[in-house]
Amino acid sequence: MFQAFLSPWVSRSDRFALVRIAALLLLALSPPVQAGVFDAISDLSKAISEGNAKADAKSDADFEEDTSKKFPPYRFEAPAASQSAQYVETVRGSNFKSIKKVGIVNFSVEFALFKEVSAMGGSQYQGGTARDSTKSMKIPQPEVARLQQMVDSLYARTAQDFASMGIEVVPFERLKATKHFAELAPAQHASPWLTDTKDSQSVFIAPSGMPLYMDNPNRADFLKGLGFTFGTNTRMKEIMMTYDLNQEVHLVSVNMVVDFAALKSSGSSFLSVASTRGANLHHLHASNTFYRFISTTQPELMVVKLKQPLVSDVRLIAETSTVKGQVSTQNFNATGMAVETTQKDAYNRGAGQFDQESYYRRSGDMLDASRQMFAEELRKLR
């Protein structure tokens, strides 16, 4: 009976819904018959879920392989200077020659902790199936003290880079004493700052004793995006600060993003199948990792940024959770009956496998490699 009901033309994704319909039709059977039938349905449902979990894991593995080919690991054994031209892009770099003094007004390192992506596809219209898929990836909460130590070291070395080029680095206390720095207060946050971003929940770390503000529109979620439009005009306050400093100091905003994964979704039409994919990818963001230089007239006098992700050579396995759901409506013309069924499958992988020590070590290595390459490209402009 079941072999006939689950005929070859029924797609694998619809079989679970049909099994449930079969269960409803079998309610009229005698109790002994029901027991054996429902055991068979339960076993089949479990097999389908396990098959879906394996297919989801295979999709993620393929995506991870494709991503690693597109963005190969950074060569940590090679000098940063030999790789800077490959990784670093400067915009309006000719302006760097005129810079004699800099003040680091904002220094923000974002560490992504949780990421999620969703997709929807299909339709219940005329007996179809609507599908959705949500995938999330996360890492264990890191020790803020370890991250703070990492950022403090990066900040000190960044200041040393400018000094080694013959550029005077104005102490932060002098910046803090200006009138317009105080007017940045509504946009500033004490470090560490745990907040939602465009695709993640992250912790932002500034050097010890410094506040930070969101200076990266590409990382802002909807509410923070409104803040860029209607909130504190940080760009104007920065320009006014250069006047407070007698137009002698070019301000610098440093922003870096340390991520642990890449997520992708597809499916948003009646015909498409909702799909989400995730890859373990410990890396620094391209474009979102940058130095921005500010003058008396231009909030972006010059920008130095990563033009491709800087990827670790150590694979960190983040905890991955996937929830796939579908709602199906089946019409039986002979009986005039329509049956709606719902299904939710959840799969979890990688819990407890994250290498915390490698995360700290390679995060610091990637940040420092980026700093060294930025410094190398800036020296070429002097």
Side-chain angles (χ1 to χ4, degrees):
M1 175 180 179
F2 284 100
Q3 292 300 321
F5 195 75
L6 297 176
S7 58
W9 60 264
V10 180
S11 67
R12 183 178 183 182
S13 63
D14 289 330
R15 290 179 183 176
F16 193 91
L18 294 177
V19 166
R20 293 194 177 189
I21 295 170
L24 293 173
L25 297 177
L26 288 167
L27 286 175
L29 296 177
S30 62
V33 176
Q34 287 184 36
V37 168
F38 282 116
D39 286 343
I41 292 173
S42 178
D43 290 344
L44 183 57
S45 300
K46 182 179 179 181
I48 291 172
S49 293
E50 290 175 350
N52 287 342
K54 289 180 181 179
D56 182 70
K58 176 65 164 57
S59 176
D60 283 357
D62 290 344
F63 178 51
E64 189 164 304
E65 183 179 0
D66 292 343
T67 303
S68 64
K69 289 178 180 178
K70 186 176 181 181
F71 303 114
Y74 178 82
R75 292 178 293 117
F76 290 93
E77 74 283 359
S82 68
Q83 303 178 75
S84 61
Q86 175 187 349
Y87 279 91
V88 178
E89 176 184 6
T90 59
V91 181
R92 294 178 292 278
S94 60
N95 290 321
F96 193 62
K97 290 181 179 180
S98 63
I99 294 177
K100 300 293 187 289
K101 297 180 182 181
V102 297
I104 301 176
V105 65
N106 189 54
F107 196 102
S108 170
V109 182
E110 175 191 346
F111 296 88
L113 307 176
F114 173 87
K115 299 168 71 72
E116 185 173 79
V117 67
S118 298
M120 299 182 67
S123 171
Q124 287 181 259
Y125 181 66
Q126 291 186 341
T129 300
R131 301 176 180 86
D132 64 83
S133 178
T134 299
K135 187 182 297 292
S136 62
M137 300 182 75
K138 67 179 180 179
I139 62 173
Q141 189 82 16
E143 297 177 32
V144 170
R146 297 281 295 270
L147 301 182
Q148 187 66 65
Q149 184 179 21
M150 195 184 302
V151 172
D152 285 347
S153 175
L154 184 68
Y155 174 69
R157 293 179 180 183
T158 301
Q160 290 170 5
D161 288 337
F162 288 121
S164 70
M165 299 176 211
I167 297 173
E168 180 184 341
V169 180
V170 175
F172 177 70
E173 291 303 317
R174 185 179 170 193
L175 305 183
K176 189 176 177 181
T178 62
K179 171 187 174 183
H180 288 92
F181 182 87
E183 294 182 4
L184 286 169
Q188 290 174 329
H189 301 272
S191 173
W193 178 37
L194 181 66
T195 189
D196 291 334
T197 63
K198 189 174 184 178
D199 63 350
S200 174
Q201 184 181 72
S202 301
V203 60
F204 288 72
I205 307 289
S208 297
M210 285 180 64
L212 60 89
Y213 50 90
M214 177 75 81
D215 185 34
N216 195 339
N218 290 332
R219 298 299 297 150
D221 62 10
F222 177 73
L223 291 178
K224 293 179 183 63
L226 291 178
F228 276 101
T229 304
F230 301 107
T232 304
N233 189 337
T234 55
R235 300 294 173 95
M236 181 57 68
K237 304 303 181 189
E238 292 165 349
I239 288 178
M240 296 309 295
M241 281 181 65
T242 65
Y243 286 95
D244 294 341
L245 296 164
N246 301 318
Q247 304 180 52
E248 298 175 340
V249 180
H250 289 80
L251 301 180
V252 182
S253 178
V254 174
N255 296 268
M256 296 187 170
V257 182
V258 181
D259 208 336
F260 65 91
L263 291 173
K264 184 177 181 180
S265 67
S266 62
S268 59
S269 72
F270 290 160
L271 300 177
S272 64
V273 176
S275 173
T276 54
R277 292 182 289 175
N280 292 287
L281 190 74
H282 190 197
H283 66 289
L284 298 190
H285 281 203
S287 298
N288 293 323
T289 297
F290 61 88
Y291 295 178
R292 179 174 63 88
F293 291 79
I294 302 124
S295 74
T296 55
T297 58
Q298 290 180 270
E300 293 189 6
L301 175 74
M302 173 184 161
V303 177
V304 186
K305 61 184 177 181
L306 286 182
K307 60 183 177 181
Q308 73 177 61
L310 196 162
V311 180
S312 171
D313 57 351
V314 178
R315 183 171 179 262
L316 301 174
I317 302 177
E319 182 176 350
T320 303
S321 300
T322 307
V323 178
K324 291 181 178 290
Q326 67 179 43
V327 179
S328 301
T329 300
Q330 304 296 331
N331 295 306
F332 296 88
N333 295 329
T335 62
M337 181 177 65
V339 178
E340 181 181 292
T341 62
T342 61
Q343 171 194 350
K344 286 283 185 182
D345 286 329
Y347 332 119
N348 295 291
R349 300 190 307 276
Q353 299 184 47
F354 190 76
D355 186 346
Q356 196 89 19
E357 289 304 314
S358 291
Y359 173 76
Y360 292 126
R361 176 170 56 86
R362 273 304 186 231
S363 291
D365 292 343
M366 291 189 299
L367 289 167
D368 200 58
S370 177
R371 174 197 64 80
Q372 291 183 57
M373 291 192 295
F374 282 5
E376 176 64 22
E377 291 302 300
L378 288 173
R379 287 191 185 97
K380 293 177 182 179
L381 300 172
R382 296 298 281 178

